[in-house]
Amino acid sequence: MSTKRFLGYDTDENGKLVINRQQEPIVVRLYQEFLDGKTTDYIKRIFGKEGIKNWDGGTKWQATTLMSMLENEKYKGDALLQKSYTVDFLTQKRTQNKGEIQMFYVEDDHDAIISKRIWECVQLEIKRRKKYLEEHGTNSYSTGRKAIHLHPR
């Protein structure tokens, strides 16, 4: 398992995931902020403004990165193996596994940063928000007033 772009964990000498205690509070805060009702776009702005360091030590965050962290089973201690695979060993090109090869789900693979209960609550909230956006035919939670443009006749 790669931890190069994976906030909250490092690997030990045996390749096992171990919690990075300096990054752990960032992951916990992300989950809490999301459950408190904030969007990933809003959280990325909070983290950036506060100078919170991301996986590569920078302070620029992406909403898509935060969403993938919220959906990642590794934070609850589980591991889905072979989400991606190498398609060309010469170029080392990898691609997402969409069923071409078998995946393996391992429960309690490593220490969790987020409890299973909190992780499941976040998954339900993600689904609830997606459904809300679909039902309202929008891609934004903005509730700002729409501008009324008067055109002279």
Side-chain angles (χ1 to χ4, degrees):
M1 266 182 277
S2 170
T3 58
K4 184 173 180 244
R5 297 180 66 169
F6 189 45
L7 191 81
Y9 287 99
D10 296 318
T11 48
D12 65 14
E13 60 280 353
N14 299 317
K16 185 105 172 127
L17 289 179
V18 291
I19 295 173
N20 178 315
R21 297 295 175 191
Q22 285 152 333
Q23 295 174 348
E24 178 184 26
I26 301 166
V27 176
V28 171
R29 181 168 176 202
L30 166 63
Y31 275 73
Q32 189 60 58
E33 296 280 11
F34 188 80
L35 285 178
D36 286 345
K38 295 181 181 76
T39 64
T40 52
D41 191 59
Y42 189 78
I43 297 167
K44 87 169 184 183
R45 286 181 278 158
I46 294 170
F47 283 9
K49 191 186 300 183
E50 293 181 11
I52 294 174
K53 296 198 182 332
N54 62 25
W55 59 269
D56 71 354
T59 56
K60 185 168 173 54
W61 290 84
Q62 300 296 327
T64 52
T65 300
L66 294 174
M67 182 56 73
S68 70
M69 288 173 67
L70 290 170
E71 294 174 327
N72 195 323
E73 78 290 338
K74 287 183 186 69
Y75 290 114
K76 67 174 175 168
D78 294 352
L80 178 59
L81 307 178
Q82 298 188 174
K83 288 183 197 176
S84 64
Y85 64 100
T86 304
V87 288
D88 186 335
F89 289 98
L90 291 176
T91 64
Q92 292 298 300
K93 181 176 173 3
R94 295 185 65 78
T95 189
Q96 287 300 111
N97 181 2
K98 295 183 179 122
E100 296 87 352
I101 62 172
Q102 187 172 4
M103 290 188 220
F104 300 92
Y105 196 89
V106 182
E107 288 189 39
D108 301 318
D109 177 72
H110 52 275
D111 290 337
I113 292 176
I114 303 298
S115 74
K116 291 190 189 307
R117 187 178 67 81
I118 295 295
W119 191 87
E120 292 298 336
C121 287
V122 165
Q123 305 320 298
L124 291 171
E125 179 61 9
I126 290 168
K127 285 181 187 158
R128 188 194 69 78
R129 291 184 193 187
K130 282 181 183 172
K131 185 177 180 196
Y132 175 91
L133 294 176
E134 288 167 8
E135 287 174 353
H136 290 83
T138 183
N139 61 358
S140 168
Y141 295 104
S142 171
T143 58
R145 293 187 180 155
K146 293 182 179 163
I148 298 171
H149 300 284
L150 300 175
H151 299 285
R153 293 186 183 177

